[in-house]
Amino acid sequence: DVKVTQSSRYLVKRTGEKVFLECVQDMDHENMFWYRQDPGLGLRLIYFSYDVKMKEKGDIPEGYSVSREKKERFSLILESASTNQTSMYLCASSRRGSGKGEQFFGPGTRLTVL
Amino acid sequence: AQTVTQSQPEMSVQEAETVTLSCTYDTSESNYYLFWYKQPPSRQMILVIRQEAYKQQNATENRFSVNFQKAAKSFSLKISDSQLGDTAMYFCAFRSQGGSEKLVFGKGTKLTVNP
């Protein structure tokens, strides 16, 4: 079974803190994604990576950065957390060029910024 | 840019009955994938069913089936014999076959199955 894990299920941080959200997948997938999920807005793509050290902006990259130093790990960084970044963050991975096109999701991190 | 629209924010159904969730999308491409994902309360998002646009036959997975109308750009999900465990958020998603492999999601439909 594909497994995508995220470092925390719940996280509480203060405004202005630097926040790291970690995601690890164990299926040697090339592609990894970070989404933000808010009620009524669905999932919105923040950043994605199709290879080590490669990254591309998604639809809402402002206020976020990412790091992919190893193939299995994709980190989302909030340089200076703000209250409007309180949300559920989902990580996903997929095999590049897969004929099935499916992404596999982690359990999510619910981040609260006070 | 592709867009995905789910026009039903919330739906409910009685246990053992059938329910259909709607999804429409907009694209100028001819080859793509469509997905329905399920997110149970406080649990992980999982794939329910997948459809390749080049396939005319509608996909089926046990109690879940789709009605794929390519010309109308419609991709509805039918759940037969609804069970309490079907209570979840359901997201419709689109992915191009080539190029970027990112998913474009609809805003979701919250489905409640009542006993």
Side-chain angles (χ1 to χ4, degrees):
Chain A
D1 274 356
V2 175
K3 192 168 248 185
V4 180
T5 57
Q6 295 183 229
S7 50
S8 305
R9 289 301 302 271
Y10 300 94
L11 207 53
V12 180
K13 295 292 181 181
R14 297 236 174 248
T15 302
E17 279 193 80
K18 189 169 186 176
V19 181
F20 293 86
L21 303 182
E22 306 285 341
C23 175
V24 177
Q25 50 92 7
D26 66 357
M27 283 301 291
D28 202 36
H29 285 169
E30 294 83 4
N31 301 326
M32 295 189 75
F33 307 84
W34 275 107
Y35 295 92
R36 172 176 171 158
Q37 182 180 5
D38 299 288
L41 296 179
L43 277 74
R44 293 178 291 167
L45 182 64
I46 305 172
Y47 267 98
F48 66 102
S49 168
Y50 51 88
D51 205 345
V52 175
K53 297 191 185 294
M54 305 300 286
K55 61 184 179 184
E56 286 199 23
K57 293 180 180 179
D59 301 316
I60 52 164
E62 295 79 17
Y64 303 94
S65 62
V66 291
S67 172
R68 191 157 181 211
E69 296 296 318
K70 293 185 177 181
K71 189 175 185 180
E72 67 271 19
R73 187 180 298 269
F74 192 35
S75 302
L76 180 69
I77 304 155
L78 287 65
E79 295 289 342
S80 177
S82 64
T83 55
N84 62 14
Q85 292 179 309
T86 291
S87 187
M88 170 71 88
Y89 291 88
L90 297 177
C91 176
S93 72
S94 68
R95 187 170 302 285
R96 192 191 315 157
S98 165
K100 297 183 177 180
E102 175 184 357
Q103 288 184 15
F104 297 86
F105 284 82
T109 296
R110 186 167 294 281
L111 173 67
T112 302
V113 182
L114 301 175
Chain B
Q2 293 86 4
T3 58
V4 177
T5 301
Q6 293 179 248
S7 59
Q8 306 148 315
E10 293 193 39
M11 294 188 72
S12 63
V13 64
Q14 292 300 122
E15 198 173 6
E17 292 186 349
T18 295
V19 63
T20 298
L21 280 57
S22 301
C23 173
T24 59
Y25 58 94
D26 188 24
T27 184
S28 58
E29 300 177 15
S30 56
N31 295 317
Y32 47 86
Y33 303 98
L34 294 164
F35 306 89
W36 279 99
Y37 278 88
K38 170 185 177 181
Q39 187 182 41
S42 301
R43 291 179 61 189
Q44 208 144 336
M45 181 106 67
I46 58 171
L47 180 69
V48 174
I49 200 164
R50 169 200 306 112
Q51 176 82 40
E52 290 93 336
Y54 68 87
K55 290 185 177 178
Q56 293 191 346
Q57 187 172 5
N58 289 324
T60 299
E61 290 286 345
N62 300 313
R63 297 183 294 108
F64 298 87
S65 61
V66 298
N67 183 6
F68 173 48
Q69 302 288 330
K70 192 172 184 179
K73 296 179 183 176
S74 171
F75 182 61
S76 60
L77 174 70
K78 186 172 83 171
I79 306 174
S80 303
D81 186 25
S82 297
Q83 300 176 0
L84 297 179
D86 295 333
T87 292
M89 283 291 294
Y90 287 82
F91 292 96
C92 179
F94 170 100
R95 207 210 90 174
S96 299
Q97 189 173 42
S100 169
E101 299 189 11
K102 60 183 181 180
L103 292 176
V104 178
F105 284 88
K107 294 183 178 181
T109 295
K110 183 178 181 181
L111 176 68
T112 301
V113 180
N114 298 309

